[in-house]
Amino acid sequence: MRAFGDVWRSNIFQKWVMALTGLMLVLFLIAHLTGNLLIFMGAEHMNEYGHSLRELLHGSAIWLARGGLLVAFVLHVWSAILLTRRNRAARPQKYVKTDWRTSTMASRSMALSGLLILVYVLYHLAHFTLGTVHSQYYAGQTGWEYTLANGTVVPDVYRMVIASFQEPLITTLYVLSMVLLGLHLNHAVASAFQTLGVTNRRISPLVRFLGPVLGIGVALGFCSLPLAVIAGLVH
Ligand code: HEM
């Protein structure tokens, strides 16, 4: 029992938890981005997609996915807090000299960008899922229904996203958050693979490449929605 407790509290275990949950969250982001990009195909495609997700396995698939996502998110934040606190405790005095080669700007700001992403996710859920902020654009309100080609009436998620991003303040908040997310991923992906021991000489250069590719790809992909709306390319 004690041995289990020691493993549970060990730094390496916490790093594994952070790496594995982080990779799960990246998979969610890629899936979410793919769904969001349907906005460029029009209201029918995006609303049909949202509806099928809600209906999958008689509505239970979305709750299973939400449960898994919540567990991964909580474990990720929890291990990040534990590891940051331990690192601080082990290094009570700030380094006099900073080594700019090994400590990139992104790595030093991981805790801060992570915290801001957490704030963004809470705001995002209040915006699109619960409709408690910017409620005038909420797809769940009466009068915002969309009728699919097969006659099913669904909440007009397409209209909610477009109407929201027509407000420059909302677009600015989203774009800034996506840039932060990109910076966070840029550093996080390489460190996750390092923690998981993927340091093989042939794979390492690929892994180093994957962080910036994912960081820039995810940030640009998500930013393309608010920017296209504000530029009037989708309406
Ligand atoms: C342009 C950027 C984004 C747009 C347009 C967007 C849009 C949406 C929409 C329409 C929903 C579904 C609301 C509903 O019907 O319940 C949603 C849910 C969600 N989004 Fe985003 N999203 C964006 C970026 C992000 C990012 C970057 C993250 C994570 C860092 C994120 C995390 C989530 C989560 C966790 C949910 C809740 C999933 C659920 O409970 O069903 N989104 N988003």
Side-chain angles (χ1 to χ4, degrees):
M1 200 63 197
R2 171 131 184 246
F4 177 73
D6 288 347
V7 170
W8 182 257
R9 279 186 294 272
S10 72
N11 266 10
I12 187 67
F13 180 77
Q14 296 299 338
K15 282 187 179 175
W16 264 76
V17 170
M18 185 139 89
L20 287 175
T21 52
L23 291 176
M24 283 166 71
L25 294 171
V26 168
L27 290 181
F28 162 74
L29 279 176
I30 294 172
H32 190 34
L33 174 60
T34 312
N36 280 351
L37 290 176
L38 287 175
I39 202 166
F40 294 104
M41 296 180 73
E44 178 72 21
H45 281 92
M46 193 168 194
N47 287 330
E48 158 70 36
Y49 166 75
H51 175 66
S52 11
L53 273 189
R54 282 188 293 270
E55 293 296 302
L56 207 64
L57 297 180
H58 303 288
S60 48
I62 192 157
W63 286 105
L64 281 174
R66 281 175 172 164
L69 197 59
L70 184 67
V71 170
F73 201 77
V74 168
L75 285 177
H76 192 73
V77 174
W78 169 70
S79 53
I81 293 173
L82 270 184
L83 286 167
T84 309
R85 275 171 44 184
R86 274 184 205 160
N87 283 346
R88 294 238 166 105
R91 179 163 52 87
Q93 284 178 345
K94 286 199 167 154
Y95 290 131
V96 178
K97 210 171 117 200
T98 310
D99 185 345
W100 291 90
R101 284 160 308 171
T102 53
S103 145
T104 62
M105 205 169 110
S107 85
R108 277 177 284 114
S109 56
M110 283 306 272
L112 182 63
S113 58
L115 187 68
L116 292 173
I117 292 166
L118 173 65
V119 173
Y120 161 77
V121 171
L122 295 177
Y123 160 72
H124 181 55
L125 291 178
H127 178 197
F128 282 155
T129 303
L130 302 171
T132 43
V133 295
H134 314 305
S135 51
Q136 68 275 32
Y137 307 129
Y138 186 50
Q141 65 185 307
T142 341
W144 281 56
E145 297 84 9
Y146 179 90
T147 309
L148 295 173
N150 64 8
T152 316
V153 178
V154 297
D156 198 345
V157 174
Y158 178 84
R159 183 173 166 202
M160 167 172 79
V161 173
I162 304 255
S164 300
F165 290 151
Q166 276 166 347
E167 270 213 27
L169 176 68
I170 302 183
T171 289
T172 310
L173 284 176
Y174 269 77
V175 169
L176 288 177
S177 309
M178 298 308 108
V179 171
L180 267 175
L181 180 65
L183 286 172
H184 194 80
L185 287 182
N186 173 38
H187 177 76
V189 173
S191 30
F193 280 110
Q194 197 177 29
T195 298
L196 300 176
V198 186
T199 46
N200 174 298
R201 244 196 311 150
R202 252 189 302 165
I203 301 177
S204 285
L206 260 180
V207 166
R208 258 201 302 273
F209 192 59
L210 200 61
V213 167
L214 267 173
I216 295 172
V218 165
L220 278 183
F222 278 119
C223 279
S224 70
L225 278 90
L227 293 179
V229 172
I230 212 98
L233 299 175
V234 274
H235 39 79

